[in-house]
Amino acid sequence: MARQARPLAEHYGDLVRVSLMEARPAGLRTRQLVAATRLTKSQVARGVRHLRDVGAAEHLTPIIWRRRDGYMFSEDPADWIEYEKKQFRQILGRLTRMITGTLDPHLARYPDDEWAQLAAAQHPGVRATLAQLTR
């Protein structure tokens, strides 16, 4: 279910979308989007978030980001898959750091804690799923 868009986020998203559509097939880095839209960096970020939350689904065009190209709309499913895998790798890395930095010490200090036990029991499945999605 899509989130309800706030008017400014929707406006920023529209400006970013139009700029990216005009740049196709090339992408635009954040500073280029700032120049093209005349928005601030934070407004561009808000517009990109809106596109990811609402706009991409409405227009059926995924927005991706690559280091060399910046933000872009691509028609190539291979580009989408590459981006999705990178996102899952980042999530897996964050999860691993949370477990080793927070959950493991929590369990070591309070091994009978119900919450920590629940989280520890679920984490292998989540981790395995994310690892599979990064391949």
Side-chain angles (χ1 to χ4, degrees):
M1 187 166 124
R3 292 187 340 198
Q4 187 72 355
R6 293 184 180 161
L8 280 177
E10 187 173 350
H11 175 68
Y12 300 155
D14 288 343
L15 291 174
V16 170
R17 186 179 65 76
V18 167
S19 295
L20 290 175
M21 294 299 286
E22 289 175 354
R24 277 174 108 167
L28 295 174
R29 296 174 182 267
T30 302
R31 70 178 183 282
Q32 293 169 315
L33 278 170
V34 166
T37 61
R38 297 187 177 167
L39 297 173
T40 66
K41 189 175 177 179
S42 65
Q43 290 168 331
V44 165
R46 194 167 165 192
V48 168
R49 281 193 307 273
H50 172 76
L51 280 177
R52 289 210 166 113
D53 291 346
V54 178
E58 287 177 357
H59 299 285
L60 299 176
T61 308
I63 183 172
I64 63 170
W65 182 87
R66 290 193 291 216
R67 184 181 303 263
R68 71 177 181 269
D69 300 313
Y71 294 100
M72 64 187 300
F73 292 120
S74 172
E75 294 297 327
D76 186 353
D79 290 340
W80 310 338
I81 292 168
E82 175 189 345
Y83 175 77
E84 291 158 355
K85 286 182 176 185
K86 285 180 183 178
Q87 294 303 303
F88 284 124
R89 271 193 290 278
Q90 285 183 342
I91 294 166
L92 179 58
R94 289 180 63 198
L95 175 66
T96 300
R97 285 189 300 278
M98 191 281 302
I99 290 165
T100 59
T102 307
L103 185 59
D104 287 348
H106 181 165
L107 278 169
R109 288 188 73 180
Y110 301 100
D112 296 329
D113 185 289
E114 188 176 328
W115 163 250
Q117 288 178 358
L118 173 66
Q122 297 301 314
H123 116 266
V126 172
R127 191 175 198 168
T129 299
L130 289 170
Q132 186 69 26
L133 290 171
T134 64
R135 293 184 181 171

